[in-house]
Amino acid sequence: MSVASHFSYWITILLMVAGLYIVIARGNLVKKLIGLSIFQTSVYLLYIAPGKLIGGTAPIISPAFKIYSNPLPHVLILTAIVVGVATLALGLALVVRIREAYGSIEEDEILAADRAGGDSE
Amino acid sequence: MTFAHLPALEVVVPLIAAPLTVLIRRSAPAWAIAAAACSFSFVAALLLAAEVAAHGPISYHLGSWAPPWGIEYRVDALSAFVLVLVSGMATVTVPYAWRSIAAELPRDQVYLFYTMFCLCLAGLLGMTITGDAFNLFVFMEIGSLSSYVLIALGRDRRAQYASYQYLVLGTIGATFYVIGIGILYLATGTLNIADLAQRLQHVENLRPVLAGLAFITVGVSLKLALYPLHLWLPNAYTYAPSAVTAFLAATATKVSVYVLLRFYFSVFGLHLVSVTLPMPEILLVLSIVAIVSASLVALYQTDLKRLFAYSSVAQIGYITLGMSLTSRAGLTASVVHLFNHGITKGALFLLLGGVALRAGRTGLDRVHGLGRAMPLTSLGIVIAGLSLIGVPGTAGFVSKWYLVLAAIEAGRWWLAAFVVATSLIAVAYVWRFVEAAYLSEPDERTPEPGEAPLAMLLPAWLLVAACVYFGFDTSYTVEAARRAALLLLGAAQ
């Protein structure tokens, strides 16, 4: 149970926290999406790393092999990657539209513009 | 094509309808396809509900792969009830969208609305029907991604920013959910919800399971807008097109409540949720804060859509309040309110869409004397508002009644008094509309006398009528909710 034997978990947690921190701390809409992407990526690692067994092979039954890696997490994450790409694409498309509408992609400037325009409601 | 494949068709038909509408690229046929797909889902949901009521849960094996290896679709008393609500709301919203969306979107984009609408419906139905935890995540993202697009279709530029905020928070929520599922998968080696519940009984090291429970709770709570995680909701509901607000308010958060119920009671079980961790107490506190604070904030809104959006946060508080009692009566109240609040809010937002069309906006200053300018719309809003308060003779009364009963049964008299007292705040915010619409003179900002188009008024009034009908005839809703509560508690023990 040393730190080194849980290496992949440490990396996962680091990426997870770093990604979430960027989403919260940054006011730039594109940077927020980058953070969100890092956060999602950490989950890929969370799933995939435990699926690999050292010395394990692809799960095709053969008398020559005894240890197999679990292929299911990889397949699940393939789906999650597609979801992540779609989210990022949609998010960036929204940022383009926001920039066209507000002339800015900084959160505080957008909120200020809304407050200023909000009185005409 | 037989009834045996109905569980798959329930989701697949709207899913296939979505790309069809893109290929056709014209708004009228796209509308027809969407309407056909939604009505098919609704009929299928009703058939499934009848089948479940008569013969017990249905387990459908996708591609004939037996669970836990294959993906299982599972229809039981609870999921059938939610399916009926979601597909029913979609079937009411699509005819409404015909005029409403045509007025709010550029002509060449109208067909894309129906694409996204069908995808969103498929996602929500899939979340409800699936018996596989990871499949649920995929459907959650299908439903969420399409709802971000639907919200961004709003005419106001703030709709895009609201959609962006919802995208960030929604993605964090879904990712938290998938982290939780990942941890549970590592602990048990299965993704099938029923199998997961069984294997969790034998897990020796509980700590990862509790971490999974925590991640899933936070993730799903973001999606259902439980109190401190509700920040995306008011803006999203305010700036989205009227038809979208009505559909999402009536279904999206409700399906997330369903997911939370499913995980708390069917997967983790009552012991883990309430004895090992104090989840009911946490939910109770959050619900109370949600009800009080969101109702008070609603009181000070100047825009009707935003006012009722905050009221949604409060009403979700009542649903989770029922959940936190973890008793049969509490869960019955929770599930009944899920349905009743769905139709009530659906009716309100559909009617407000009519106001937005005629008055340009839904600000309270636009509805002075609306009782004379748009008598039917105003009357509908008042009736749905009464249902929101919980006045006897409306659907809202039934759910509040069961909630009060559940609180008394649990020996918490103060909670029963609390439910009644907070309904008074609802009286106050609904009164603000009544005051503006009936007790103020029309001014230059009030729309000219004349109702919203019939295509918008009819679906809205259908839901208003449902609010009243389910206030008198509770045999369907309460019976279904009671069976759902029994099922949840049966699985939990």
Side-chain angles (χ1 to χ4, degrees):
Chain A
M1 290 290 277
S2 70
V3 173
S5 71
H6 288 67
F7 174 71
S8 71
Y9 288 111
W10 291 113
I11 297 291
T12 306
I13 292 171
L14 186 77
L15 283 175
M16 211 173 262
V17 178
L20 205 53
Y21 177 78
I22 297 172
V23 176
I24 297 165
R26 291 288 135 182
N28 184 303
L29 300 190
V30 175
K31 287 182 185 167
K32 266 182 193 296
L33 286 179
I34 293 172
L36 198 64
S37 232
I38 294 174
F39 180 50
Q40 286 185 304
T41 308
S42 73
V43 182
Y44 307 161
L45 204 57
L46 175 77
Y47 272 73
I48 289 179
K52 168 71 184 166
L53 292 179
I54 293 169
T57 178
I60 302 164
I61 295 179
S62 147
F65 299 104
K66 289 217 163 51
I67 310 173
Y68 300 104
S69 287
N70 185 355
L72 186 64
H74 301 67
V75 184
L76 296 176
I77 288 316
L78 212 54
T79 316
I81 289 173
V82 174
V83 169
V85 168
T87 309
L88 189 61
L90 180 60
L92 289 173
L94 279 173
V95 173
V96 171
R97 292 279 301 273
I98 289 172
R99 162 118 172 106
E100 281 168 6
Y102 287 88
S104 166
I105 54 167
E106 294 293 334
E107 196 173 32
D108 44 353
E109 289 174 17
I110 292 168
L111 290 175
D114 271 349
R115 264 195 297 278
D119 298 335
S120 60
E121 274 293 284
Chain B
M1 206 175 96
T2 57
F3 284 129
H5 293 290
L6 219 48
L9 289 173
E10 170 81 28
V11 181
V12 168
V13 168
L15 198 61
I16 302 240
L20 278 184
T21 54
V22 181
L23 291 176
I24 288 176
R25 298 182 70 92
R26 302 237 321 274
S27 57
W31 176 82
I33 290 173
C38 293
S39 332
F40 174 86
S41 290
F42 186 42
V43 173
L46 287 175
L47 287 174
L48 286 171
E51 175 74 20
V52 167
H55 300 114
I58 304 169
S59 165
Y60 179 84
H61 305 165
L62 271 184
S64 298
W65 291 88
W69 297 281
I71 290 171
E72 179 194 16
Y73 277 8
R74 197 171 172 80
V75 193
D76 54 26
L78 179 60
S79 54
F81 191 53
V82 179
L83 286 178
V84 169
L85 170 69
V86 174
S87 56
M89 278 306 304
T91 313
V92 173
T93 312
V94 169
Y96 177 92
W98 173 248
R99 287 297 297 272
S100 164
I101 289 301
E104 289 182 56
L105 283 188
R107 248 181 113 80
D108 57 332
Q109 285 178 12
V110 171
Y111 73 96
L112 286 171
F113 165 81
Y114 294 109
T115 314
M116 286 302 145
F117 190 83
C118 286
L119 272 182
C120 188
L121 175 66
L124 293 174
L125 290 176
M127 278 171 80
T128 314
I129 206 170
T130 187
D132 184 279
F134 197 85
N135 195 230
L136 199 156
F137 162 72
V138 176
F139 276 122
M140 185 191 271
E141 284 296 43
I142 293 178
S144 305
L145 284 168
S146 47
S147 61
Y148 307 145
V149 179
L150 286 172
I151 289 165
L153 289 176
R155 274 180 302 183
D156 198 304
R157 66 176 180 176
R158 278 170 293 188
Q160 280 143 37
Y161 189 58
S163 168
Y164 176 87
Q165 275 182 318
Y166 184 22
L167 179 132
V168 170
L169 288 175
T171 306
I172 292 175
T175 311
F176 264 70
Y177 171 81
V178 88
I179 292 171
I181 295 300
I183 295 172
L184 290 187
Y185 179 65
L186 291 181
T188 61
T190 184
L191 289 166
N192 182 284
I193 289 178
D195 199 31
L196 204 56
Q198 265 186 1
R199 293 202 197 182
L200 277 177
Q201 313 272 331
H202 309 296
V203 172
E204 280 169 11
N205 183 5
L206 266 185
R207 186 165 290 179
V209 176
L210 296 181
L213 172 68
F215 272 113
I216 291 174
T217 302
V218 175
V220 178
S221 299
L222 256 168
K223 289 278 178 191
L224 70 81
L226 186 64
Y227 171 68
L229 307 171
H230 68 285
L231 293 171
W232 57 268
L233 187 142
N235 280 333
Y237 282 12
T238 308
Y239 302 119
S242 313
V244 174
T245 308
F247 179 65
L248 290 182
T251 57
T253 46
K254 309 295 176 291
V255 171
S256 302
V257 171
Y258 161 83
V259 173
L260 199 61
L261 279 170
R262 182 62 81 199
F263 270 91
Y264 272 17
F265 294 95
S266 301
V267 175
F268 292 109
L270 205 51
H271 184 78
L272 200 65
V273 170
S274 66
V275 181
T276 319
L277 282 179
M279 290 321 292
E281 285 76 10
I282 295 175
L283 267 185
L284 180 71
V285 172
L286 291 180
S287 308
I288 288 175
V289 180
I291 294 169
V292 175
S293 71
S295 299
L296 287 177
V297 173
L299 262 182
Y300 292 98
Q301 296 308 313
T302 51
D303 183 277
L304 281 168
K305 264 176 120 177
R306 185 177 278 274
L307 187 157
F308 286 116
Y310 275 106
S311 137
S312 270
V313 177
Q315 299 290 325
I316 289 163
Y318 288 112
I319 300 178
T320 47
L321 189 67
M323 251 174 95
S324 74
L325 294 170
T326 64
S327 63
R328 227 172 94 184
L331 288 179
T332 308
S334 183
V335 177
V336 167
H337 198 47
L338 191 146
F339 185 89
N340 287 343
H341 177 245
I343 54 175
T344 306
K345 262 302 146 53
L348 273 172
F349 281 121
L350 287 183
L351 289 164
L352 285 178
V355 175
L357 187 75
R358 303 273 299 125
R361 287 184 201 284
T362 52
L364 266 169
D365 55 342
R366 303 273 169 152
V367 299
H368 287 269
L370 197 74
R372 258 173 275 170
M374 299 172 76
L376 281 176
T377 306
S378 303
L379 183 64
I381 294 178
V382 172
I383 294 176
L386 292 178
S387 174
L388 206 58
I389 299 165
V391 175
T394 58
F397 172 71
V398 179
S399 29
K400 293 252 171 85
W401 172 254
Y402 279 94
L403 200 55
V404 168
L405 282 187
I408 293 173
E409 191 193 277
R412 292 178 175 158
W413 287 90
W414 59 272
L415 199 59
F418 170 81
V419 171
V420 176
T422 48
S423 298
L424 292 177
I425 314 183
V427 173
Y429 60 67
V430 172
W431 178 256
R432 295 189 66 204
F433 171 78
V434 175
E435 191 182 4
Y438 289 96
L439 304 180
S440 308
E441 287 302 313
D443 54 29
E444 72 277 8
R445 280 175 298 187
T446 310
E448 295 290 303
E451 287 292 342
L454 208 58
M456 291 170 69
L457 204 56
L458 268 184
W461 262 90
L462 191 69
L463 287 182
V464 173
C467 286
V468 178
Y469 175 78
F470 288 118
F472 285 104
D473 181 9
T474 59
S475 56
Y476 174 68
T477 47
V478 174
E479 206 38 56
R482 192 170 282 148
R483 275 204 309 274
L486 269 180
L487 173 100
L488 285 172
L489 287 173
Q493 275 154 13

